[in-house]
Amino acid sequence: MIKTQFKKLLPVFFFVFCYCSIIAQENTDVQYRFYAAADYKITKKWQVAFEYRYAMDHDISEFRNNSFEIGTKYDVAKKMSLETGYRFTTSYEKDSHLLFLSYQYKYKFNKRFTLGSTTRYQFRTLGFDADLMQYYKEPSQFIREKLRLEYNVPKSKASLYFAPEIFLKIDNSLEFNRMRYTLGGDYLLKYGNTLGLSLFYENKYNPQKTDRFVLSTKYNLSIDELIKKINKNKEKKEKKEKI
C-alpha cells in the first residue's frame, strides 16, 4: 500500500505536468512513457536487468514506439559500477538498435542525500546489414553525462531526485546536442518492488527539432529480493509447524 507521504507527491507532479502542457508552445511536444522493469542479482557484483517501454507523443494522443532493453551491471567497487546493454525500438515507421556502455559513480553524503553521476556512450543504428545501411546516414553516436541528486524523505520509503543531463553528439568532434532536466520520485513497495514517477524537459540545440516534456511512470521488480522474502516466509511457516 502506498503511504500518505508518497500520495502527497502525486498532486505536485500533476500540477507541474498541467503547467508544462499550458506553457508548451507549438514547437514543444508533451509525451508519456510507461516502464515495466525487472532485475536480478546473480552474485554480489553482477546484475542483469530487463525493461519494456511504451511511449506516446503529440500531446499524448498518438503511439510513438515500443522498446525492449536488456542489460548487465558490474559493481567495480562500493561506489562505482559499469553497465552495458542493448535496446530494440519498434514503431509503425521504423525500427532501431541501440548499444550502450555506462560508468556510474555514487557518493552518499549522509542518510538523506546521495549524489550520483553517469557517463554513457551509446551507438544507435537502424540496422546492421550493408543493404539497409546504404539508405541512411551514419549511425548516431552520443556521449551523455548525467548528475543526480537524491533525497530520502524522512520516516518514509519515498525518495526524490533532480537530474540534469547533457547530450554530446559524436561527429567529427564532440558537439552539444541537447539538455534534459528530470524531476522524479521513487517509492519502495513490498517484496523488492519500486514505483517511480518522473517528469523531464528536453531542450534541443537545433531550433528545427521539437523540444518536449515527458511524463513517465515506472514499475520495477527486484527478483532476488522477492525470492529472499518468499524463502523467509517459508522458513517462518516451517518453524511454526515444528512448534
Side-chain angles (χ1 to χ4, degrees):
M1 181 179 180
I2 301 177
K3 293 188 177 180
T4 307
Q5 294 95 331
F6 190 70
K7 286 184 178 180
K8 290 179 180 179
L9 300 177
L10 297 178
V12 176
F13 282 96
F14 180 74
F15 171 78
V16 174
F17 177 69
C18 291
Y19 176 74
C20 293
S21 301
I22 293 171
I23 66 172
Q25 301 175 358
E26 292 182 0
N27 62 338
T28 304
D29 190 22
V30 179
Q31 302 178 6
Y32 171 73
R33 293 178 178 180
F34 167 74
Y35 294 86
D39 58 66
Y40 179 71
K41 205 158 188 177
I42 304 172
T43 65
K44 290 183 178 180
K45 290 184 175 291
W46 284 98
Q47 183 184 66
V48 293
F50 173 80
E51 181 180 274
Y52 165 75
R53 185 183 76 188
Y54 178 86
M56 300 178 71
D57 59 9
H58 292 86
D59 296 331
I60 319 183
S61 63
E62 297 180 11
F63 167 77
R64 179 180 175 87
N65 56 45
N66 285 312
S67 67
F68 305 86
E69 181 178 309
I70 186 169
T72 60
K73 185 178 179 181
Y74 176 72
D75 294 329
V76 180
K78 187 177 180 180
K79 299 178 181 179
M80 297 179 290
S81 62
L82 294 174
E83 185 178 9
T84 184
Y86 163 76
R87 179 192 299 167
F88 173 69
T89 302
T90 179
S91 66
Y92 295 131
E93 298 178 355
K94 61 183 179 181
D95 299 337
S96 67
H97 307 267
L98 186 144
L99 301 170
F100 65 88
L101 175 65
S102 302
Y103 167 77
Q104 298 175 341
Y105 178 84
K106 283 187 178 182
Y107 179 77
K108 197 169 185 177
F109 293 101
N110 48 48
K111 292 181 180 180
R112 300 296 171 212
F113 290 95
T114 302
L115 180 65
S117 68
T118 301
T119 302
R120 171 169 167 168
Y121 164 77
Q122 67 180 41
F123 174 95
R124 181 177 176 274
T125 178
L126 299 182
F128 293 104
D129 59 280
D131 292 334
L132 178 60
M133 292 181 70
Q134 65 180 329
Y135 295 109
Y136 68 96
K137 296 180 181 180
E138 308 86 38
S140 61
Q141 300 180 71
F142 283 89
I143 295 291
R144 297 167 56 175
E145 184 64 42
K146 179 195 288 186
L147 292 175
R148 171 170 164 150
L149 181 62
E150 185 174 330
Y151 172 71
N152 291 320
V153 181
K155 298 180 181 180
S156 171
K157 294 182 179 180
S159 61
L160 301 174
Y161 63 88
F162 173 68
E165 183 175 14
I166 185 172
F167 288 68
L168 300 173
K169 187 173 183 181
I170 302 176
D171 201 346
N172 295 324
S173 60
L174 284 177
E175 297 180 356
F176 173 73
N177 182 263
R178 62 186 184 270
M179 283 292 300
R180 180 180 292 180
Y181 307 92
T182 305
L183 176 66
D186 293 319
Y187 187 83
L188 183 62
L189 304 172
K190 291 183 178 180
Y191 308 117
N193 300 313
T194 305
L195 187 63
L197 181 66
S198 66
L199 176 71
F200 74 73
Y201 170 67
E202 192 171 80
N203 181 19
K204 296 188 177 180
Y205 176 71
N206 187 341
Q208 296 179 350
K209 294 183 179 179
T210 303
D211 295 341
R212 58 181 178 168
F213 291 99
V214 181
L215 176 68
S216 301
T217 55
K218 183 174 182 177
Y219 172 78
N220 188 85
L221 172 64
S222 178
I223 298 174
D224 51 299
E225 288 296 325
L226 177 61
I227 293 173
K228 287 179 183 178
K229 292 287 184 181
I230 293 173
N231 290 335
K232 284 183 180 180
N233 291 335
K234 284 183 178 179
E235 290 176 1
K236 287 180 181 179
K237 287 182 179 179
E238 290 176 355
K239 288 180 180 180
K240 286 181 179 180
E241 289 176 356
K242 287 179 180 180
I243 294 172

